Amino acid sequence: MKISVIGSGYVGLVTGACLAEIGHDVICTDNDKSKIDTLEAGGVPIYEPGLDNVIAKARKEKRISFSANPADTIDKCEAIFICVGTPPLPSGDADLSAIDHVARVIATEAKSPKLVVEKSTVPARTGQELKRALSVYSRKTGVTFRVASNPEFLREGTAVGDFLHPDRVVVGVEDETAEKQLREIYGPVLDRKFKCPIHSAGACPDGAAPAWVVTTINSAELIKHASNSFLAMKISYANMVADLAERLGGDIGEIVRAMGLDPRIGSSFLSAGLGFGGFCFPKDLQAFVRLAERSGVDFSMLKEAEKINKRRIDRAFDKLREALWVVRGKRVGVLGLAFKPNTDDIRFAPAVDLVNVLLGEGMIVRAYDPEAMDRARAVLPQIEYAKSPYDAAENAEALIIATEWDEFRKLDWDRVRDAMARPFLLDGRNLFSPREMKSRGFEYRSFGRTE
Ligand code: UDX
């Protein structure tokens, strides 16, 4: 099918590239000309493992093209995926102005009926507004549109695999035709009939085939917000249990391992530490709280999850102050700036919040991240950037692990210890066992363990 993807950010690019990979003809568009220039020149404007190869292959096979003018692409396609940003407004509500703008462009440019798929994360009832906007702005042409919601669950860092091997594909539709069209688009993924570009033969996840979940548009929109908010709540819950375990002499690792064996609970998203960040969880949680408020529902447990998460940074700093006593003027190394490993994304990263607290307390910060330092320089120009983890540790009175990059697990920790002025290690992601690090000669602190 011929598909236009409007918005070439994380979601748009991965969606466009993967739709091309499974056989569709895709045009990826963005108003930001520099992004399109990068793509046309053979580059990829974001770091996402495997995405460059998928785009390169699709380009070679002429199944993907790029355009800085979304309007030009509308009438060349049968389906249009809206993947524009919905950033938070100061109130916490999602800013839907980009969606509104795209609706006008689609409505005025289309000369024949289109399937318009909302993939950006949006509050419930956006689909209804989108439908209304499309019909208002197309009144001169009389073209009709089908609107559908198809929330995206991909995670940064594993986005290509998540798109091609999802647990479920959720489609919110109003009629069977829209469902059929989306079934056709996702057919190869649902039937697992594509040659996987990221796994070698036989190495693809071998669980059940993805569930095809057909709902109303309102439900589909709610599914996305409800899923992300639930996962965020799970993390905050684990963090509170960690605080309690620390006081009472338990070990959060042992506790969540046993909890997770109960299939009703599940083992993922129970890792305690510095808390969650990224462009999805914090903003989706806020937007869901606001949506509930405006609908007269007091979803206070979500507000609590948000507060708990914000307090993680203070908890980390308390541990540091307790160990160092006076912090002003002291040198601290920070390992990891990205909001999680395998991405260069630092949006709402706990590491960035923590660095700001350290700076506010007068500390000298030297940070290292395998991928995120270029982006970090723009928002944290006042810190030093290290050439390696060892360089970040050099002469530091404390070293903080803020992101669980695999690279940090494999460091020569004796070398790190010897480089430091004082071997105090604050493990914000519980990567190591207290016993191991203490036997190496570190003063070691983490979260939710007796040390
Ligand atoms: C998330 C959702 O997982 C995805 O389905 C949705 O489409 C977009 O939002 P992403 O933002 O890429 O994806 O990050 P994710 O891997 O979910 O992690 C979010 C944050 O939670 C990270 O900062 C991570 O470090 C933190 N986290 C995760 C924890 O602190 N503890 C955990 O147990 C799990």
Side-chain angles (χ1 to χ4, degrees):
M1 197 181 285
K2 283 200 150 74
I3 299 172
S4 163
V5 176
I6 304 189
S8 296
Y10 278 99
V11 170
L13 260 191
V14 174
T15 301
C18 291
L19 288 174
E21 174 70 34
I22 60 173
H24 300 292
D25 288 325
V26 179
I27 314 178
C28 285
T29 78
D30 205 291
N31 282 335
D32 180 347
K33 192 167 177 308
S34 67
K35 249 184 215 172
I36 298 299
D37 287 347
T38 304
L39 286 160
E40 279 183 331
V44 179
I46 54 169
Y47 171 78
E48 183 59 45
L51 184 60
D52 46 356
N53 288 339
V54 176
I55 293 179
K57 184 170 155 229
R59 185 205 304 273
K60 210 166 130 205
E61 291 167 7
K62 300 207 173 352
R63 277 180 286 101
I64 199 164
S65 60
F66 306 99
S67 165
N69 189 0
D72 283 352
T73 69
I74 304 299
D75 215 47
K76 295 181 184 140
C77 299
E78 293 157 72
I80 298 149
F81 278 69
I82 303 180
C83 300
V84 294
T86 50
L89 289 166
S91 63
D93 284 308
D95 181 354
L96 301 174
S97 50
I99 304 251
D100 180 52
H101 174 75
V102 168
R104 280 183 202 217
V105 174
I106 296 172
T108 47
E109 297 297 329
K111 295 184 183 65
S112 59
K114 309 286 173 205
L115 173 69
V116 180
V117 186
E118 152 201 290
K119 207 162 191 40
S120 308
T121 299
V122 290
R125 299 210 172 160
T126 302
Q128 284 176 13
E129 295 297 338
L130 177 61
K131 207 175 153 197
R132 192 162 60 159
L134 288 168
S135 90
V136 167
Y137 297 119
S138 63
R139 68 191 187 286
K140 287 189 185 147
T141 59
V143 169
T144 54
F145 298 93
R146 287 201 160 74
V147 170
S149 164
N150 171 220
E152 186 47 70
F153 300 104
L154 54 82
R155 292 161 296 174
E156 289 181 20
T158 51
V160 176
D162 288 348
F163 188 98
L164 295 169
H165 307 290
D167 311 311
R168 78 280 208 207
V169 178
V170 176
V171 293
V173 291
E174 284 186 324
D175 58 28
E176 271 182 32
T177 311
E179 181 193 337
K180 260 199 205 137
Q181 283 177 295
L182 281 157
R183 180 79 183 63
E184 188 191 330
I185 292 172
Y186 279 103
V189 168
L190 298 170
D191 305 333
R192 296 173 165 184
K193 285 203 177 119
F194 61 92
K195 190 169 175 297
C196 183
I198 50 169
H199 298 109
S200 44
C204 290
D206 59 356
W212 174 243
V213 186
V214 183
T215 69
T216 62
I217 295 179
N218 282 340
S219 291
E221 291 165 338
L222 281 164
I223 287 167
K224 171 68 196 242
H225 267 146
S227 302
N228 271 5
S229 299
F230 185 80
L231 291 171
M233 228 168 47
K234 231 180 146 184
I235 299 170
S236 283
Y237 185 83
N239 277 323
M240 288 314 291
V241 177
D243 285 358
L244 197 57
E246 215 170 290
R247 302 266 158 89
L248 299 178
D251 180 318
I252 190 65
E254 292 175 352
I255 297 167
V256 297
R257 201 169 310 120
M259 281 172 65
L261 289 172
D262 182 335
R264 293 170 303 174
I265 297 176
S267 59
S268 49
F269 282 75
L270 287 173
S271 300
L274 281 181
F276 59 79
F279 201 55
C280 289
F281 279 4
K283 102 175 152 68
D284 289 357
L285 197 60
Q286 270 186 14
F288 206 33
V289 168
R290 289 286 297 145
L291 180 68
E293 264 169 15
R294 278 189 283 106
S295 317
V297 174
D298 180 11
F299 214 151
S300 50
M301 67 200 294
L302 293 186
K303 291 186 202 160
E304 204 48 46
E306 200 184 350
K307 265 197 243 157
I308 292 167
N309 196 54
K310 286 202 173 114
R311 287 204 300 263
R312 299 319 287 165
I313 305 300
D314 303 331
R315 291 278 299 129
F317 184 71
D318 288 347
K319 285 171 190 277
L320 190 71
R321 197 203 292 276
E322 200 183 288
L324 298 190
W325 179 40
V326 171
V327 295
R328 184 161 295 276
K330 287 191 175 156
R331 181 171 275 282
V332 55
V334 173
L335 296 185
L337 291 166
F339 81 95
K340 64 172 192 177
N342 303 324
T343 174
D344 63 350
D345 195 346
I346 53 161
R347 292 176 296 175
F348 300 101
V352 173
D353 288 345
L354 180 61
V355 168
N356 279 318
V357 170
L358 302 175
L359 291 173
E361 295 286 340
M363 299 194 80
I364 303 159
V365 181
R366 191 170 175 79
Y368 172 80
D369 188 285
E371 293 293 340
M373 291 200 286
D374 283 345
R375 287 187 192 267
R377 277 190 183 93
V379 293
L380 291 171
Q382 58 291 58
I383 66 169
E384 298 171 16
Y385 290 91
K387 287 191 276 305
S388 69
Y390 305 105
D391 186 23
E394 197 65 43
N395 279 329
E397 307 235 5
L399 187 66
I400 305 175
I401 301 175
T403 313
E404 64 272 41
W405 282 98
D406 218 26
E407 171 178 343
F408 300 154
R409 292 178 214 271
K410 298 174 192 150
L411 292 182
D412 175 349
W413 282 95
D414 292 339
R415 186 176 157 196
V416 173
R417 181 200 56 218
D418 292 344
M420 296 178 72
R422 172 179 171 175
F424 175 72
L425 179 64
L426 176 57
D427 183 351
R429 296 293 174 186
N430 286 5
L431 290 193
F432 298 103
S433 90
R435 199 184 320 156
E436 183 200 336
M437 288 325 241
K438 279 185 181 158
S439 71
R440 275 190 191 278
F442 280 98
E443 293 174 66
Y444 179 83
R445 293 276 177 290
S446 57
F447 288 83
R449 281 116 54 106
T450 320
E451 286 148 356

